[in-house]
């Protein structure tokens, strides 16, 4: 497997108790490590935004296609601008 | 405004979806739903194990193409359903499983018969719901049917806490039934490019999968196959998309294909994958499958395109619309050289069925049974050697005639699926080819079959072994047999009679042919025990992980040519 840079995925999801297990379960089943997760409700809290920090390896395109199939995932894109979100929270986690 | 309860609401919404029969088992946490079902026009089929209920519903769904429904209670009811749900996921079958759950206030307390059905079903469903109020049902039930039937079909679970079923609610109308989403159409430029690739190919082959049947695209498939003289192979789940005797049909591809089929694919210069997912049992070692071919891959599920084989042209679209457009766009052709080459491969490397006249031979019993059935009969199988022999030898003529567990390969599928098929297609005989290992996995459903008096004929290829396991141990484990032979042999005919079914044993029959004919013509559920030589293997065989060109056995000897 190609050793690779990290990328951030931004997911718009329905906000309910099961959505995290759908998203994280997908990564776990395909043995794809998630390096970092940030999640907050947006707007009227019927939706959330999830930022996932992941390695950009050969399987990432397939992961994105699989994520798109999840009913609770409304939108997904690569978010180059969101890298610093993880830098900002890092002090709180160390 | 009308006053109702969550349970009544579920039943009304199911009726509006057009559901006419449901299979399930009641228990503490779905009793309100069962109480509401009493007053419904929906026929309830009481299974004897929830896995049976799940496969009965699958049988209905596989025959009709419409979502079918199964019910289970919380805890063990839900866990027993899991195998049938997972099976539906891997074979893309529209299934809606409704489970009872402990009351909301008790969720997370390890209450009696509490299990995390939602969590357990995340990886084996297309989508799942834990319903948190009766009002949510107005959205969730139609959504479940929409999701199950849209695009690539699949199973959906609706987990409903008991107090939500009992909850009173005022409603001022019911939502529209959930219907499948509109289908994605192929892009005109892709159709043009695909047609040009097909026209330019010297040695094209179509690979037809379950997606073609799910899309109702078999007429369009025939159109293009005939117009452009395209040799076509099918996956295990694509059988029936073309009739077995169509001159361009090559049979099943893969681990137990005829040699000529795998060899034709080996030689092709263009492979057109239609509603297929390039499963390893079909394509063998992926890197060595169709080594010289450019690939066109058409599928409605974008994540299948490029997952295993990188296509030259990927088309994410409804395969029906795509085939109709392609059939119009390709040039008429006869491909004399390639079809002559195929004919030669088929003459030199056919599927060898030596003793097919003998009703106690594996191929023989399948051929004899097929010859005695009316052409509108439906076939189900269990999993093992008998399944592969049936896939090789049963003359399928129609889509949705052949029901088998492909992706999950679930022993125990055959009998309950046959019951579901018979319920969904009254007036048609359903034959279930089973093995003595598989049949025991859902044998209890014989009681259901007798109770519903369905026209199900179990043809049991009894080798007193887990035959396919024995075959793997013989071929790949140096003949070190372990745990593949049964040391006790149940009297299956007596057992079937004990359930109230009719039964015959071809082992005792003076004239097995006429006994078989009598058994298949008898009304209601029937079991026919057929003793089979335990040393029989399914050939040819590609070793797991091997390339499809490297087949073991099944050669035609020079003297037979
Ligand atoms: C539920 C389940 N357990 C185990 C297996 C593994 N398995 C595949 S084929 C087979 C043997 C099947 O035996 P039988 O039904 O008698 O059919 P035969 O191969 O003898 O025709 C087994 C154990 C399986 N496919 N499904």
């Amino acid at each position: 497997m190609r050793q690779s840079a990290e990328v951030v995925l931004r997911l718009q999801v329905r906000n309910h108790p099961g959505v995290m297990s759908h998203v994280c379960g997908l990564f776990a089943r395909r043995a794809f490590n998630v390096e970092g997760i940030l999640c907050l409700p947006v707007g009227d809290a019927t939706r959330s935004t999830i930022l996932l920090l992941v390695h950009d390896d050969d399987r990432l395109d397939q992961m994105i296609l699989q994520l798109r199939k999840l009913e609770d995932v409304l939108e997904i894109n690569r978010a180059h601008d969101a890298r610093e979100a993880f830098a900002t929270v890092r002090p709180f986690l160390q | 405004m009308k006053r109702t309860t969550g349970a009544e609401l579920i039943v009304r919404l199911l009726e509006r979806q057009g559901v006419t029969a449901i299979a399930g088992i009641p228990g503490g946490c779905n009793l309100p739903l069962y109480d509401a079902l009493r007053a419904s026009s929906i026929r309830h089929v009481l299974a004897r194990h929830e896995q049976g209920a799940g496969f009965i519903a699958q049988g209905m769904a596989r025959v009709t193409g419409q979502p079918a429904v199964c019910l289970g209670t919380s805890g063990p009811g839900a866990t027993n359903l899991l195998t049938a749900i997972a099976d539906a996921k891997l074979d893309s079958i529209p299934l809606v499983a409704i489970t009872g759950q402990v009351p909301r206030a008790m969720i997370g307390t390890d209450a009696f018969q509490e299990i995390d059905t939602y969590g357990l079903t995340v990886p084996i469903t297309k989508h799942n719901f834990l319903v948190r109020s009766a009002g949510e049902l107005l959205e969730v039930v139609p959504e479940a049917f929409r999701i199950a039937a849209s695009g690539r079909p699949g199973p959906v679970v609706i987990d409903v806490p008991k107090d939500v079923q009992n909850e009173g609610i005022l409603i001022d109308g019911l939502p529209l039934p959930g219907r499948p989403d509109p289908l994605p159409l192929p892009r005109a430029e892709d159709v043009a490019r695909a047609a040009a690739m097909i026209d330019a190919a010297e040695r094209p082959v179509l690979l037809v999968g379950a997606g073609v049947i799910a899309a109702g695209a078999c007429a369009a498939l025939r159109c293009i196959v005939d117009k452009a003289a395209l040799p076509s192979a099918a996956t295990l789940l694509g059988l029936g998309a073309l009739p077995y005797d169509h001159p361009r049909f090559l049979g099943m591809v893969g681990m137990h294909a005829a040699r000529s089929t795998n060899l034709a694919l080996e030689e092709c210069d263009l492979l057109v994958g239609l509603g297929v997912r390039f499963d390893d049992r079909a394509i063998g070692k992926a890197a060595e499958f169709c080594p010289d071919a450019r690939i066109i891959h058409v599928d409605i599920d974008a994540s299948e395109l490029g997952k295993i084989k990188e296509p030259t042209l990927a088309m994410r679209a409804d395969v029906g619309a795509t085939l109709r457009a392609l059939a119009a766009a390709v040039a008429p052709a006869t491909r004399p050289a390639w079809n002559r080459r195929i004919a030669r491969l088929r003459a030199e490397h056919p599927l060898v069925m030596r003793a097919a006249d003998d009703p106690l031979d594996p191929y023989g019993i399948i051929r004899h049974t097929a010859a005695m059935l009316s052409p509108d009969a439906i076939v189900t199988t269990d999993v093992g050697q008998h399944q592969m022999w049936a896939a090789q030898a049963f003359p399928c003529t129609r889509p949705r005639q052949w029901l088998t567990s492909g992706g999950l390969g679930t022993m125990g599928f055959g009998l309950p699926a046959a019951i579901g098929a018979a319920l969904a297609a009254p007036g048609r005989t359903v034959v279930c080819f089973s093995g003595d290992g598989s049949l025991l996995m859902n044998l209890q459903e014989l009681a259901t079959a007798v109770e519903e008096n369905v026209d199900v004929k179990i043809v049991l290829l009894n080798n007193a072994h887990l035959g396919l396991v024995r075959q793997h141990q013989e071929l790949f484990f140096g003949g070190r047999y372990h745990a593949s032979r049964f040391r006790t042999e149940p009297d299956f005919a007596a057992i079937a009679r004990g359930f109230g079914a009719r039964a015959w044993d071809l082992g005792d029959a003076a004239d097995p042919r006429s006994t078989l004919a009598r058994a298949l013509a008898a009304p209601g559920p029937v079991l026919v025990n057929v003793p089979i030589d335990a040393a029989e293997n399914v050939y040819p065989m590609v070793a797991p992980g091997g390339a499809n060109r490297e087949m073991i056995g099944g050669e035609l000897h020079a003297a037979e040519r």
Side-chain angles (χ1 to χ4, degrees):
Chain A
M1 211 174 295
R2 184 156 54 91
Q3 199 34 52
S4 54
E6 287 176 334
V7 291
V8 177
L9 303 178
R10 177 187 281 119
L11 284 68
Q12 296 285 336
V13 300
R14 291 204 183 94
N15 180 14
H16 68 87
V19 66
M20 270 305 197
S21 80
H22 273 276
V23 171
C24 296
L26 186 60
F27 282 88
R29 288 199 291 288
R30 288 168 191 259
F32 198 114
N33 203 34
V34 178
E35 301 296 322
I37 303 180
L38 291 172
C39 177
L40 283 174
V42 289
D44 63 358
T46 58
R47 297 185 174 192
S48 303
T49 297
I50 302 177
L51 295 177
L52 298 174
L53 184 68
V54 295
H55 281 291
D56 187 9
D57 81 20
D58 302 343
R59 300 169 302 156
L60 186 60
D61 288 340
Q62 175 65 209
M63 288 305 305
I64 292 174
L65 290 172
Q66 295 290 345
L67 284 166
R68 276 194 215 290
K69 292 206 293 183
L70 297 179
E71 287 292 328
D72 288 334
V73 173
L74 306 167
E75 222 181 287
I76 170 166
N77 44 46
R78 292 177 198 240
H80 303 292
D81 56 320
R83 293 287 301 263
E84 40 183 292
F86 288 91
T88 310
V89 297
R90 198 172 292 273
F92 297 97
L93 303 173
Q94 270 158 356
Chain B
M1 291 295 247
K2 190 173 170 291
R3 190 151 197 94
T4 183
T5 67
E8 284 166 7
L9 197 49
I10 293 172
V11 172
R12 289 293 91 73
L13 293 168
L14 292 178
E15 288 167 353
R16 283 165 67 84
Q17 287 294 147
V19 173
T20 54
I22 288 182
I25 299 188
C29 282
N30 65 3
L31 275 175
L33 182 56
Y34 270 84
D35 197 37
L37 264 176
R38 283 179 58 229
S40 168
S41 61
I42 296 174
R43 168 177 184 182
H44 180 264
V45 176
L46 179 62
R48 300 309 200 258
H49 184 298
E50 287 83 356
Q51 188 185 120
F55 282 130
I56 289 171
Q58 269 215 41
M60 302 195 271
R62 286 180 190 243
V63 162
T64 61
Q66 303 300 315
V69 180
C70 56
L71 306 180
T73 188
S74 66
T79 53
N80 277 349
L81 279 173
L82 294 179
T83 301
I85 296 170
D87 189 280
K89 178 76 175 354
L90 282 167
D91 283 354
S92 308
I93 305 301
L95 183 77
V96 175
I98 304 176
T99 48
Q101 183 54 276
V102 301
R104 281 169 293 183
M106 295 173 80
I107 288 180
T109 65
D110 303 318
F112 178 63
Q113 294 192 328
E114 179 187 1
I115 198 81
D116 176 11
T117 303
Y118 185 91
L120 283 170
T121 54
V122 165
I124 58 168
T125 51
K126 203 169 160 191
H127 193 54
N128 58 0
F129 298 94
L130 171 54
V131 182
R132 287 158 207 286
S133 70
E136 276 184 24
L137 290 165
L138 291 164
E139 201 179 316
V140 164
V141 175
E143 265 296 272
F145 279 81
R146 180 189 69 78
I147 294 166
S150 289
R152 177 179 180 173
V156 177
V157 165
I158 310 176
D159 196 28
V160 193
K162 185 173 187 176
D163 61 323
V164 172
Q165 298 170 46
N166 282 326
E167 187 187 329
I169 174 178
L170 276 174
I171 53 167
D172 53 6
L174 290 169
L176 288 175
R179 295 287 177 236
D181 294 336
L183 296 165
L185 299 176
R187 301 190 310 186
E189 61 265 37
D190 289 344
V191 172
R193 189 168 162 220
M197 286 170 74
I198 293 171
D199 289 346
E202 282 176 16
R203 300 181 307 280
V205 174
L206 307 188
L207 181 58
V208 178
V212 174
I213 294 173
C218 299
L221 172 69
R222 252 175 113 153
C223 240
I224 189 172
V225 166
D226 290 339
K227 182 176 179 189
L230 294 166
S232 305
T235 65
L236 177 66
L237 294 187
L239 292 174
L242 283 175
Y244 76 102
D245 56 355
H246 189 286
R248 301 280 163 253
F249 184 53
L250 303 174
M252 177 176 68
V253 69
M255 184 174 269
H256 296 291
R259 288 179 163 259
S260 52
T261 311
N262 283 344
L263 293 174
L265 280 149
E266 182 77 12
E267 291 183 16
C268 74
D269 67 350
L270 176 68
L271 178 75
V272 186
L274 301 166
V276 292
R277 60 181 176 85
F278 294 101
D279 170 70
D280 51 277
R281 287 296 194 260
I283 72 163
K285 193 178 201 171
E288 295 178 35
F289 179 63
C290 297
D292 302 327
R294 302 213 290 166
I295 295 176
I296 300 171
H297 190 181
V298 186
D299 203 283
I300 201 160
D301 180 351
S303 70
E304 289 301 340
L305 303 173
K307 184 182 84 175
I308 306 284
K309 288 292 272 185
E310 199 53 57
T312 318
L313 174 59
M315 298 174 71
R316 192 251 155 172
D318 166 36
V319 73
T322 305
L323 280 170
R324 283 188 290 277
L326 275 177
V330 295
T334 53
R335 302 181 198 282
W338 178 223
N339 279 308
R340 255 198 321 278
R341 172 68 187 149
I342 298 261
R344 169 126 190 239
L345 284 172
R346 295 179 74 175
E348 289 178 359
H349 308 283
L351 190 74
V352 180
M353 294 190 268
R354 281 200 185 80
D357 288 343
D358 174 2
L360 301 184
D361 169 80
Y363 291 126
I365 184 65
I366 288 158
R367 285 304 180 107
H368 278 89
T369 303
M372 290 171 189
L373 290 171
S374 124
D376 67 359
I378 296 167
V379 191
T380 75
T381 78
D382 265 302
V383 172
Q385 292 179 312
H386 63 277
Q387 175 190 33
M388 292 299 122
W389 284 317
Q392 293 174 329
F394 192 89
C396 289
T397 55
R398 290 172 288 106
R400 304 198 178 281
Q401 177 184 24
W402 165 257
L403 317 184
T404 197
S405 167
L408 197 66
T410 312
M411 293 169 70
F413 171 90
L415 172 57
I419 296 171
L423 290 167
R428 288 162 66 176
T429 300
V430 185
V431 57
C432 164
F433 290 111
S434 188
D436 52 314
S438 293
L439 187 62
L440 289 175
M441 293 223 180
N442 273 319
L443 183 71
Q444 75 288 342
E445 298 311 323
L446 254 180
T448 314
V450 170
E451 194 161 280
E452 299 293 330
N453 193 29
V454 283
D455 189 8
V456 166
K457 310 294 183 243
I458 302 166
V459 176
L460 178 64
L461 279 69
N462 186 345
N463 53 14
H465 279 75
L466 295 167
L468 196 57
V469 173
R470 195 205 59 78
Q471 171 166 348
H472 278 245
Q473 290 175 339
E474 176 183 335
L475 298 179
F476 309 118
F477 292 87
R480 296 184 302 278
Y481 301 112
H482 185 54
S484 53
R485 182 174 70 84
F486 294 125
R487 281 172 294 158
T488 63
E489 295 181 30
D491 179 344
F492 282 97
I495 289 168
R497 286 186 205 111
F499 276 103
R502 292 185 173 79
W504 280 268
D505 194 331
L506 295 198
D508 312 331
D511 178 2
R513 276 188 194 78
S514 64
T515 303
L516 178 64
R518 196 169 341 124
L520 295 175
V526 164
L527 180 140
V528 185
N529 184 57
V530 188
I532 293 289
D533 182 351
E536 290 282 356
N537 284 339
V538 191
Y539 290 122
M541 175 164 202
V542 177
N548 274 357
R549 91 177 73 82
E550 286 151 21
M551 292 166 272
I552 303 166
E555 297 92 343
L556 189 67
H557 301 312
E560 293 175 301
R561 288 208 183 134

